[in-house]
Amino acid sequence: MDRKLMTSIKLQKQLHYKIQQGVINDGYGMRGKSKWIIEAIEKLLELPDYPDLVDIAGDMDQLSEMISIRLSEQLVSKLDQAIIQVRRHYPAMEGVKSNLIRASIVQRLLRSSTSVTE
């Protein structure tokens, strides 16, 4: 069985609220946040331009909310490889892992949005 590793990231208050809405709206229930975020990470890593999306996420400010998620060792390994890719494009970027997870969340929310007015 794959071990789970805990990681924590900071988010903007509004983004944290939107995650909670997304998790519930997508039918994951109140305890499905980690699964929802894991799927978001996996989808982001499939995109050819994900390093650019991670760079955009690096511009977030007012990161006041802390969330913890459980990641499989396999996903942590994929994240480590993605961090290397992002650093090749943006060598001076700090907090790449957190930015990668934040970018995943934002992209999932944007791509699942059914209305332009949301």
Side-chain angles (χ1 to χ4, degrees), residues 79-92:
L79 274 173
D80 290 342
Q81 292 300 311
I83 289 167
I84 292 168
Q85 290 299 320
V86 171
R87 286 213 183 275
R88 284 186 181 142
H89 292 255
Y90 303 98

Side-chain angles (χ1 to χ4, degrees), residues 12-63:
Q12 295 171 328
K13 192 172 205 160
Q14 185 67 22
L15 184 57
H16 187 219
Y17 175 73
K18 288 185 182 258
I19 290 170
Q20 292 171 326
Q21 282 184 314
V23 168
I24 293 169
N25 290 343
D26 290 347
Y28 289 82
M30 292 301 292
R31 300 176 69 87
K33 179 178 62 181
S34 285
K35 183 176 181 181
W36 189 92
I37 293 173
I38 287 167
E39 290 175 2
I41 294 168
E42 289 171 343
K43 288 178 184 175
L44 179 79
L45 296 180
E46 292 173 0
L47 299 174
D49 63 341
Y50 76 84
D52 297 326
L53 299 171
V54 173
D55 182 46
I56 294 167
D59 292 336
M60 284 187 185
D61 58 357
Q62 299 178 349
L63 303 174

Side-chain angles (χ1 to χ4, degrees), residues 88-102:
R88 284 186 181 142
H89 292 255
Y90 303 98
M93 183 185 290
E94 294 183 20
V96 176
K97 184 176 180 182
S98 294
N99 286 337
L100 219 156
I101 296 170
R102 279 193 286 272

